[in-house]
Amino acid sequence: MEVTRKNFQSVLPEVEKAIAESDFLSVDTEFSGLHASSSYYISPLDTPEERYQKLRKGSCDFLVFQVGLCTFCFNKENNKYEARPFNFYVFPRPYSRAAPDCRFMCQSSSIDFLASQNFDFNKVFKEGIPYLTSTQESQLKDSLEEKHKQYNLFSSPAFVTPDSGAEAVTTKGPINIPEEHKDFIEGICKTVQEFLDKEGEETLSLPPCNGFVRKLIYQTVKQRFQSGIHLAAKTDEKKQRFIVVTRIKSEDDMKIKEQEKQAAELAEVEGAVGFSKVIRMITHSEKLVVGHNMFMDVIHLLHRFCSPLPENYLEFKALTTCIFPKLLDTKLMANTTPCKEFLPNTVLGDLLKHISCSPFEKPEIVFPENFPQYKLDDSNLHEAAYDAFITGMCFIGMSNFLGNKKDPPVSNVSPDDSVVKPFTNKLFLMRVPEIPYLDLAADDVLPNREHIFHVTFPKEWKAPDLYQLFSPFGNVNIQWLDDTSAFVSLYKKEQSSSVIPALCKRDSKYKIITYELFKYGLPDKESKKRPHSTDSTEEESKKKKVLNVDAPVFVSRSRSATPPTPEENGNKIEEESLAPDSTSGKGSDQKMFEEPVW
Amino acid sequence: MEVTRKNFQSVLPEVEKAIAESDFLSVDTEFSGLHASSSYYISPLDTPEERYQKLRKGSCDFLVFQVGLCTFCFNKENNKYEARPFNFYVFPRPYSRAAPDCRFMCQSSSIDFLASQNFDFNKVFKEGIPYLTSTQESQLKDSLEEKHKQYNLFSSPAFVTPDSGAEAVTTKGPINIPEEHKDFIEGICKTVQEFLDKEGEETLSLPPCNGFVRKLIYQTVKQRFQSGIHLAAKTDEKKQRFIVVTRIKSEDDMKIKEQEKQAAELAEVEGAVGFSKVIRMITHSEKLVVGHNMFMDVIHLLHRFCSPLPENYLEFKALTTCIFPKLLDTKLMANTTPCKEFLPNTVLGDLLKHISCSPFEKPEIVFPENFPQYKLDDSNLHEAAYDAFITGMCFIGMSNFLGNKKDPPVSNVSPDDSVVKPFTNKLFLMRVPEIPYLDLAADDVLPNREHIFHVTFPKEWKAPDLYQLFSPFGNVNIQWLDDTSAFVSLYKKEQSSSVIPALCKRDSKYKIITYELFKYGLPDKESKKRPHSTDSTEEESKKKKVLNVDAPVFVSRSRSATPPTPEENGNKIEEESLAPDSTSGKGSDQKMFEEPVW
């Protein structure tokens, strides 16, 4: 169901009902860009915290254009799932001159990608549902109440700025009218006098004029006509501000008019909270929220509708768990044994096709009327609600598949089933082979990288020179950094310890250091350079953790099985967006190797 | 005439013809925002250089959505002007993966303003004409040529990246195929073999896959089948990259195919220059270019279509004059004696109405068919081409008005007439009462500000306290900076020298310093802090210049006569966008006084 500013208020109860009645929810978002600059491109060597910081700094200035929410409810009678997909267009339109005037970033390639999917930008900008973070909301309400208090306190309106929304409280007293304005203001007073003299009209609209002149009108007219009138500023359809004069019969009449105005202003803020209310409903429901490759979605949902992203990584985990108590990333599920054995790739569109046939079982879905009756062709792909919908389907398909493997087998697995539990509150880390997920509920797994080395070498060197250099240790993978440096990683990890002793020679043309040393510098620097959350002892313990559990439940598939392809939402753009910034062959190599290959 | 990506190439000759046949041109632009943040809001005390730096830092990340160009040609036979308005939708769509992937900023209130004018965002993002600055163009061409050279040099395609657009040259040699890929690559080779074995099909399209896999295919297939085939990467409508195999009959056939490909790549860059060609035509024509309040338009036209804005202010003047040898700002004309005496305000929409009646004479306009036959109602206001069109009309109206005042009177004044000359190459400075314009052809006029003082005072102080303090010197204007500081300027400038001696007392609750001192610090700091272009001696001479020429030809009207109102293109947003950031009465005061009042 398409939801815009036009029908949001009327649809909201239906959304609340759908969430309340659901077994679980799925979400997806469309946004205006991916990386503010190439320095925030993801790397296969990112730790979860490094990845978070890249997204926080490099992606948060982009805007969410569309949020898809799909609720799923299992019906025991007919063994079918009822799906209710909502497609929300959202835009932070300043609801008044007092509201925040958001600046946001767009990335041409992302916009072009959405355009190629026939995305309706006019709908976003003209009918997008507004929203406020809780912080913005309370700030606006506080200053409004403060303004109202002030008004009631010494309510000689000459000393307040009645038309400046929530931003203005008292001013520094009356302004003396500049020469060039005196005639105009006199003219206004004359018009008002005539309006008051002859009965009939309840209100009089003054000609549009700028804030300064309106201010002069306020103080002058108020002083001249005292309690006989009430003034309020309005905005016409052409966005011009003008003053409306209303005839006042008594002081009480005046008070009532003012109370009505103040109530209206508060209601306005209430309305401006807009889409954030939906997120609050989701939080409140404590239902399982499913997404596909959802790290970026979570980032944007938090940042735009809840609260600015914390600098501190652990605070981010806390915030996420507080807003979404139960999260599940279907991309992690699909990339994990046993599902992954049966999934040649896990790009959302393809994943749906895979789970639609054996050994998986395609779930049966019904839509209530007045909801889109989605066909399962790709025609709707990249519409947020459709992507959310098929994400939910994939979740059902995979969890039932896992259920069938149980002894005794379970069909129609519930979101609380033990086969689902291991996947909750873990976000898939795209293209990090050694760290399958970011763990919201526990310390992150930090991999051993003793088999990776940073090598600097002469400009003339090409791959064969490096293969040659490392030949004593078997096959290696090369990740070019630039003309004269690269990461080299051994396939035979057991050889790691022999590399430095064997290859570090005086006066050699090249220089080799461990990844550890390259990344965090010499031990004494460590504390400064390391991700704050891990002091070296923690570090050690985590390394062991990884070393001991050599084949954990979570074995990330190697890159090849999940070639990031255009179908991957936005991912394609991410892929290609590497090209423009890489201006040399190494650049393009680096791009290749952006996808881990060991 | 509406121009998009779809008809740009076919319309371009018509644009060139229109420019060539014109007496003068007028331009207007629509953009995605005004100020990156409140720190770039304009102030009535800005010098031209300060204003330039604010716009450069605070406005250049916004995007131009629409450029209006209108050519005017006077027809002696019928005394009518022929107008040809072109409305260009522009968008920096990356024409290939090698092209720049521009990040740009939007301001919600500006987007909302355009939306309220029923602006078509879909047309911008889906059909916008691409463009490149000269620098981008030559970079792309150079790296393409370099790539082609490399290819022809050692054209074993295994060692180049044929599908990486202009960014890739040589790579670091062949990559060894990771285990998990071997089957897939073998499968591909088998398909190619079958394709070659059976006659018939000229080409074979391989399944879409990511850059790394494509690379593996290139090197393997090329090695296996040598000269028998030619490979090229294509993008399908879903933006997936895939490889097309073409049967090759001979080495020559191969060479031809490659040459065709290289020619196509160069043509692609040529096409990507897009709208920038129109600006180059304008430059080449050396015709007078007219705009209304055009500083911001000039900034964007230079920055997006010609070259990034120079940090150095004088270089900016040079660049502008080089791209637009003859500029004229109708807002300056309208705000200057004698026109201004007959113009109650100079907002574009109103200006048109004013010059349409006595003492002005509304010019007679004809449009060639296949051009929009604009009605002079406001229905098209804020469409770039329409605004450009009426700007041209205002120019004709005002210059003919000035011509009639000559002795003997001149009708149908030409753009080279002596009455027009004084206005050329000067940009109107909005809301700077003391400096009517930025002079592109000479040193700027720097006003004397000895009558302005910076005062800091206790939080409790209100306007009356300041009026009281300065009462010995007559009436003052107050421009609030915050709770405890303000600029105070004397109406009686002759009193300036007495203020400091009289009011600077030990242990006073307040502190007063000259504007000079506040702005540039103590004399020894001057050199560092002053606008680089003016050393103190220059400064002196300029002050004299202003002091001597007390009533120059250019007397800027005082603020009141030009209340910036919503109709002002974008200006309205600028107006309103002050509100959100001002969170106190002083904020709102400051907003009022953003419009100069002395």
Side-chain angles (χ1 to χ4, degrees):
Chain A
M1 180 186 297
E2 181 174 280
V3 192
T4 68
R5 211 165 72 212
K6 293 181 170 170
N7 65 345
F8 179 67
Q9 289 308 332
S10 61
V11 171
L12 199 53
E14 204 166 337
V15 176
E16 186 160 31
K17 187 158 171 295
I19 294 174
E21 295 172 356
S22 71
D23 297 314
F24 73 94
L25 318 169
S26 58
V27 294
D28 181 59
T29 61
E30 300 292 332
F31 25 76
S32 66
L34 288 160
H35 309 291
S37 80
S38 55
S39 53
Y40 300 115
Y41 289 153
I42 63 179
S43 140
L45 298 177
D46 287 340
T47 64
E49 171 161 16
E50 286 162 350
R51 179 67 57 91
Y52 168 69
Q53 297 299 357
K54 279 184 182 178
L55 294 184
R56 185 178 68 81
K57 295 182 198 136
S59 303
C60 281
D61 291 342
F62 296 107
L63 205 65
V64 177
F65 281 160
Q66 203 177 56
V67 181
L69 168 69
C70 188
T71 66
F72 287 85
C73 175
F74 180 63
N75 179 339
K76 291 186 186 55
E77 272 74 65
N78 58 11
N79 267 10
K80 291 181 176 171
Y81 293 82
E82 189 198 58
R84 303 183 206 169
F86 298 91
N87 201 40
F88 299 93
Y89 286 84
V90 292
F91 183 68
R93 172 170 175 267
Y95 79 93
S96 83
R97 297 158 55 246
D101 182 12
C102 158
R103 272 70 162 181
F104 62 92
M105 208 190 286
C106 298
Q107 185 171 351
S108 299
S109 54
S110 305
I111 297 296
D112 185 45
F113 178 78
L114 287 173
S116 72
Q117 307 299 321
N118 211 7
F119 187 85
D120 189 343
F121 298 94
N122 285 336
K123 203 158 257 172
V124 172
F125 296 142
K126 295 178 183 179
E127 300 175 30
I129 306 159
Y131 51 83
L132 296 173
T133 64
S134 320
T135 337
Q136 292 169 327
E137 180 188 3
S138 37
Q139 275 170 358
L140 285 169
K141 283 185 170 163
D142 294 350
S143 50
L144 248 189
E145 277 152 13
E146 176 58 20
K147 174 190 156 204
H148 294 164
K149 217 173 73 225
Q150 291 284 351
Y151 185 94
N152 305 336
L153 219 63
F154 44 118
S155 78
S156 159
F159 290 84
V160 300
T161 312
D163 68 327
S164 51
E167 97 275 8
V169 188
T170 56
T171 74
K172 293 280 198 178
I175 310 153
N176 50 347
I177 303 174
E179 266 318 317
E180 62 271 14
H181 278 308
K182 296 206 161 114
D183 295 358
F184 179 74
I185 300 295
E186 274 314 314
I188 293 290
C189 292
K190 202 155 151 295
T191 321
V192 173
Q193 189 57 64
E194 288 161 5
F195 159 74
L196 288 174
D197 294 348
K198 66 167 155 45
E199 283 304 318
E201 290 302 319
E202 255 310 287
T203 64
L204 163 71
S205 298
L206 299 178
C209 50
N210 69 61
F212 178 76
V213 177
R214 287 200 302 276
K215 177 130 186 139
L216 296 177
I217 296 176
Y218 269 108
Q219 66 180 42
T220 320
V221 172
K222 272 295 181 184
Q223 275 154 354
R224 297 265 182 98
F225 302 94
Q226 297 298 343
S227 61
I229 57 169
H230 178 265
L231 303 183
K234 288 216 164 63
T235 307
D236 67 15
E237 73 294 335
K238 286 200 130 195
K239 300 207 157 283
Q240 308 180 60
R241 301 282 291 174
F242 64 98
I243 294 175
V244 176
V245 186
T246 313
R247 199 187 300 278
I248 293 293
K249 291 170 192 50
S250 68
E251 262 305 323
D252 298 353
D253 191 4
M254 172 76 155
K255 279 211 179 52
I256 292 159
K257 284 259 177 328
E258 186 55 34
Q259 279 155 7
E260 287 168 358
K261 180 157 151 281
Q262 297 186 357
E265 286 173 345
L266 280 167
E268 210 177 15
V269 179
E270 198 53 39
V273 175
F275 181 76
S276 306
K277 288 181 175 173
V278 174
I279 302 297
R280 294 174 195 180
M281 288 172 181
I282 294 174
T283 305
H284 184 251
S285 76
E286 295 184 353
K287 298 281 167 85
L288 176 71
V289 176
V290 174
H292 189 75
N293 202 12
M294 74 193 301
F295 196 175
M296 189 83 102
D297 301 282
V298 168
I299 290 272
H300 281 290
L301 291 173
L302 293 177
H303 185 69
R304 290 292 164 190
F305 309 119
C306 305
S307 124
L309 288 179
E311 283 183 26
N312 179 303
Y313 175 58
L314 298 179
E315 281 173 27
F316 159 71
K317 285 188 176 189
L319 176 65
T320 309
T321 326
C322 152
I323 301 294
F324 302 112
K326 252 191 274 166
L327 279 180
L328 186 143
D329 192 329
T330 46
K331 182 124 187 158
L332 176 62
M333 220 170 174
N335 279 293
T336 305
T337 317
C339 289
K340 72 168 192 162
E341 312 309 337
F342 304 92
L343 298 170
N345 87 56
T346 63
V347 169
L348 186 54
D350 300 345
L351 183 57
L352 176 67
K353 297 187 180 79
H354 298 316
I355 67 106
S356 303
C357 50
S358 163
F360 299 92
E361 213 173 278
K362 181 176 169 186
E364 280 199 76
I365 304 287
V366 293
F367 300 98
E369 84 247 321
N370 82 341
F371 280 90
Q373 311 290 310
Y374 283 132
K375 303 263 159 301
L376 289 181
D377 50 25
D378 291 351
S379 57
N380 296 90
L381 212 58
H382 299 303
E383 175 194 296
Y386 179 79
D387 285 3
F389 163 63
I390 60 176
T391 299
M393 296 239 337
C394 294
F395 168 68
I396 296 169
M398 289 189 289
S399 44
N400 285 342
F401 169 78
L402 294 175
N404 287 330
K405 292 199 165 308
K406 279 177 100 177
D407 179 16
V410 183
S411 54
N412 304 314
V413 164
S414 101
D416 313 318
D417 193 282
S418 62
V419 297
V420 175
K421 278 261 175 331
F423 299 97
T424 50
N425 296 328
K426 299 185 171 71
L427 298 173
F428 181 71
L429 274 198
M430 196 163 58
R431 295 197 259 140
V432 180
E434 301 171 302
I435 315 174
Y437 57 86
L438 179 158
D439 196 331
L440 290 163
D443 287 343
D444 292 307
V445 168
L446 292 187
N448 176 345
R449 286 180 171 157
E450 288 166 356
H451 64 296
I452 303 175
F453 300 88
H454 179 266
V455 192
T456 47
F457 42 78
K459 217 167 182 307
E460 320 75 70
W461 276 37
K462 300 209 179 304
D465 305 294
L466 286 170
Y467 290 123
Q468 178 56 37
L469 177 66
F470 279 84
S471 50
F473 312 101
N475 200 354
V476 295
N477 165 260
I478 302 168
Q479 180 184 2
W480 297 102
L481 298 174
D482 56 35
D483 257 7
T484 59
S485 69
F487 289 127
V488 175
S489 43
L490 308 185
Y491 285 93
K492 298 187 185 153
K493 300 189 177 184
E494 64 278 12
Q495 298 271 11
S496 305
S497 53
S498 354
V499 170
I500 295 292
L503 299 186
C504 277
K505 302 214 181 68
R506 284 177 153 288
D507 335 315
S508 58
K509 281 201 196 130
Y510 57 84
K511 179 159 167 282
I512 300 182
I513 60 174
T514 63
Y515 180 80
E516 185 86 359
L517 190 61
F518 172 76
K519 191 85 186 174
Y520 305 115
L522 294 165
D524 62 282
K525 296 206 199 92
E526 267 186 25
S527 50
K528 271 186 260 76
K529 285 209 186 174
R530 275 175 190 286
H532 78 289
S533 67
T534 59
D535 62 34
S536 49
T537 56
E538 250 184 88
E539 188 78 354
E540 286 318 310
S541 68
K542 281 184 193 143
K543 271 192 205 143
K544 284 199 201 65
K545 196 160 143 196
V546 186
L547 290 171
N548 302 341
V549 188
D550 220 347
V553 185
F554 296 98
V555 182
S556 162
R557 94 182 34 250
S558 72
R559 57 169 301 295
S560 60
T562 53
T565 79
E567 291 95 358
E568 187 101 50
N569 184 348
N571 194 3
K572 175 261 168 190
I573 304 165
E574 188 174 314
E575 267 305 285
E576 308 312 358
S577 63
L578 288 157
D581 300 76
S582 52
T583 54
S584 82
K586 293 102 192 190
S588 89
D589 259 355
Q590 199 172 344
K591 174 182 156 209
M592 303 307 172
F593 288 95
E594 263 274 326
E595 307 152 24
V597 292
W598 52 85
Chain B
M1 180 185 297
E2 182 174 279
V3 192
T4 68
R5 212 165 70 213
K6 293 180 170 171
N7 64 345
F8 178 68
Q9 288 308 334
S10 61
V11 171
L12 199 54
E14 204 165 340
V15 177
E16 187 161 28
K17 186 160 172 293
I19 294 174
E21 295 172 354
S22 71
D23 297 315
F24 73 93
L25 318 168
S26 59
V27 294
D28 181 60
T29 61
E30 300 293 331
F31 26 75
S32 66
L34 287 159
H35 310 292
S37 81
S38 55
S39 53
Y40 300 115
Y41 290 153
I42 61 179
S43 142
L45 298 178
D46 288 340
T47 64
E49 171 161 16
E50 286 162 351
R51 179 67 58 92
Y52 168 67
Q53 296 298 357
K54 280 184 182 178
L55 294 183
R56 185 178 68 82
K57 294 182 199 133
S59 302
C60 281
D61 291 342
F62 296 107
L63 205 65
V64 176
F65 281 160
Q66 203 177 59
V67 180
L69 168 69
C70 188
T71 66
F72 288 85
C73 176
F74 181 62
N75 180 338
K76 290 186 187 55
E77 272 75 64
N78 58 11
N79 267 11
K80 290 180 178 170
Y81 293 83
E82 187 197 60
R84 304 182 205 171
F86 298 90
N87 201 41
F88 299 93
Y89 285 85
V90 292
F91 182 68
R93 170 170 175 266
Y95 78 94
S96 85
R97 296 156 58 246
D101 182 12
C102 157
R103 274 68 162 181
F104 61 93
M105 209 190 284
C106 299
Q107 185 170 353
S108 299
S109 53
S110 306
I111 297 296
D112 185 43
F113 177 77
L114 288 173
S116 72
Q117 307 299 321
N118 210 7
F119 187 85
D120 188 343
F121 298 95
N122 285 337
K123 204 158 257 174
V124 172
F125 296 143
K126 296 178 183 180
E127 301 175 29
I129 305 159
Y131 51 84
L132 295 173
T133 63
S134 319
T135 335
Q136 292 170 327
E137 180 188 2
S138 39
Q139 275 169 359
L140 284 170
K141 283 186 171 163
D142 293 351
S143 51
L144 249 189
E145 277 152 14
E146 178 57 21
K147 174 190 155 204
H148 294 164
K149 215 172 74 222
Q150 291 285 350
Y151 184 94
N152 306 338
L153 220 61
F154 43 118
S155 79
S156 159
F159 289 85
V160 301
T161 313
D163 69 329
S164 51
E167 98 276 7
V169 188
T170 56
T171 75
K172 292 282 197 177
I175 310 153
N176 53 343
I177 303 174
E179 262 322 311
E180 63 271 12
H181 277 309
K182 295 209 160 112
D183 295 357
F184 179 74
I185 300 296
E186 273 314 312
I188 293 290
C189 292
K190 202 156 151 298
T191 323
V192 174
Q193 187 58 65
E194 287 160 7
F195 158 75
L196 288 175
D197 293 348
K198 66 167 154 49
E199 281 306 316
E201 290 301 318
E202 254 309 286
T203 64
L204 164 72
S205 297
L206 300 178
C209 51
N210 67 60
F212 179 74
V213 177
R214 286 200 303 276
K215 177 129 187 137
L216 296 177
I217 295 177
Y218 270 107
Q219 67 181 45
T220 320
V221 172
K222 272 295 182 182
Q223 274 154 356
R224 296 265 183 98
F225 301 93
Q226 297 297 343
S227 59
I229 56 169
H230 177 265
L231 303 183
K234 288 213 164 62
T235 308
D236 68 14
E237 73 293 336
K238 287 200 129 197
K239 300 208 156 281
Q240 306 180 63
R241 301 280 292 175
F242 64 98
I243 294 175
V244 176
V245 186
T246 314
R247 200 187 301 276
I248 293 292
K249 294 174 190 47
S250 67
E251 262 303 323
D252 297 353
D253 190 6
M254 170 78 151
K255 280 212 180 53
I256 290 157
K257 285 256 175 336
E258 185 56 34
Q259 278 153 7
E260 285 168 358
K261 181 156 149 287
Q262 297 186 357
E265 284 172 347
L266 281 166
E268 210 176 16
V269 179
E270 197 54 36
V273 176
F275 181 76
S276 305
K277 288 181 175 172
V278 175
I279 302 297
R280 295 175 195 180
M281 288 172 181
I282 295 175
T283 304
H284 182 74
S285 77
E286 296 184 355
K287 298 280 166 85
L288 176 71
V289 176
V290 174
H292 189 76
N293 202 10
M294 75 192 300
F295 196 175
M296 188 84 101
D297 301 284
V298 169
I299 290 273
H300 280 290
L301 290 173
L302 293 177
H303 185 68
R304 289 292 165 190
F305 309 119
C306 305
S307 123
L309 288 178
E311 284 183 25
N312 179 302
Y313 175 58
L314 298 180
E315 282 173 27
F316 158 71
K317 285 188 174 188
L319 176 65
T320 309
T321 326
C322 151
I323 302 295
F324 301 113
K326 254 191 271 165
L327 279 181
L328 185 142
D329 193 329
T330 46
K331 183 126 186 156
L332 177 62
M333 220 169 173
N335 278 293
T336 306
T337 319
C339 289
K340 72 168 191 165
E341 311 310 336
F342 304 91
L343 298 170
N345 86 57
T346 62
V347 169
L348 186 56
D350 300 346
L351 184 56
L352 176 66
K353 297 188 180 74
H354 298 316
I355 67 108
S356 302
C357 50
S358 165
F360 299 92
E361 213 173 280
K362 181 176 169 188
E364 280 198 78
I365 304 286
V366 294
F367 301 97
E369 86 247 318
N370 82 341
F371 280 88
Q373 312 290 311
Y374 284 131
K375 303 262 160 301
L376 289 181
D377 50 25
D378 291 352
S379 59
N380 294 92
L381 212 56
H382 299 303
E383 175 195 293
Y386 178 79
D387 286 3
F389 163 63
I390 60 177
T391 298
M393 289 209 36
C394 294
F395 169 68
I396 296 169
M398 289 190 290
S399 43
N400 285 343
F401 170 79
L402 294 175
N404 287 329
K405 292 200 166 310
K406 279 177 102 175
D407 179 15
V410 182
S411 55
N412 304 314
V413 163
S414 101
D416 312 317
D417 192 282
S418 62
V419 298
V420 175
K421 280 261 179 326
F423 298 98
T424 51
N425 296 327
K426 298 183 172 74
L427 298 174
F428 181 72
L429 273 198
M430 196 163 57
R431 295 198 257 140
V432 179
E434 301 170 303
I435 314 173
Y437 57 85
L438 179 160
D439 196 332
L440 290 163
D443 286 342
D444 293 306
V445 170
L446 292 187
N448 177 343
R449 282 173 176 163
E450 286 166 358
H451 65 294
I452 303 175
F453 300 88
H454 180 265
V455 191
T456 47
F457 42 78
K459 219 168 182 313
E460 320 75 75
W461 276 34
K462 301 213 179 303
D465 305 294
L466 285 170
Y467 290 124
Q468 178 57 36
L469 177 66
F470 279 85
S471 49
F473 312 101
N475 200 355
V476 296
N477 164 262
I478 302 169
Q479 179 183 5
W480 298 100
L481 298 174
D482 56 34
D483 260 6
T484 59
S485 69
F487 287 128
V488 176
S489 42
L490 309 186
Y491 285 92
K492 298 189 186 151
K493 299 190 177 184
E494 64 278 12
Q495 298 272 7
S496 304
S497 54
S498 352
V499 171
I500 294 292
L503 299 184
C504 276
K505 301 214 181 69
R506 285 181 153 287
D507 334 317
S508 60
K509 283 200 194 137
Y510 57 83
K511 181 160 167 279
I512 299 182
I513 59 173
T514 62
Y515 179 80
E516 185 86 358
L517 190 60
F518 172 76
K519 191 80 184 179
Y520 305 114
L522 292 165
D524 61 285
K525 297 208 197 90
E526 268 185 23
S527 51
K528 271 185 257 77
K529 285 210 182 174
R530 277 175 191 282
H532 78 290
S533 67
T534 58
D535 63 32
S536 48
T537 55
E538 251 184 85
E539 186 79 355
E540 287 319 312
S541 66
K542 279 181 195 145
K543 272 192 203 142
K544 284 198 203 65
K545 194 161 145 194
V546 185
L547 289 172
N548 303 343
V549 189
D550 221 348
V553 183
F554 296 97
V555 182
S556 164
R557 89 178 45 248
S558 71
R559 58 170 298 295
S560 60
T562 52
T565 80
E567 292 93 354
E568 186 101 50
N569 184 351
N571 195 4
K572 175 260 165 192
I573 304 164
E574 187 175 314
E575 267 307 282
E576 308 311 355
S577 64
L578 287 158
D581 299 76
S582 51
T583 54
S584 81
K586 293 102 188 189
S588 89
D589 260 358
Q590 195 175 343
K591 172 180 157 213
M592 302 309 169
F593 287 94
E594 265 272 326
E595 306 153 22
V597 293
W598 55 86

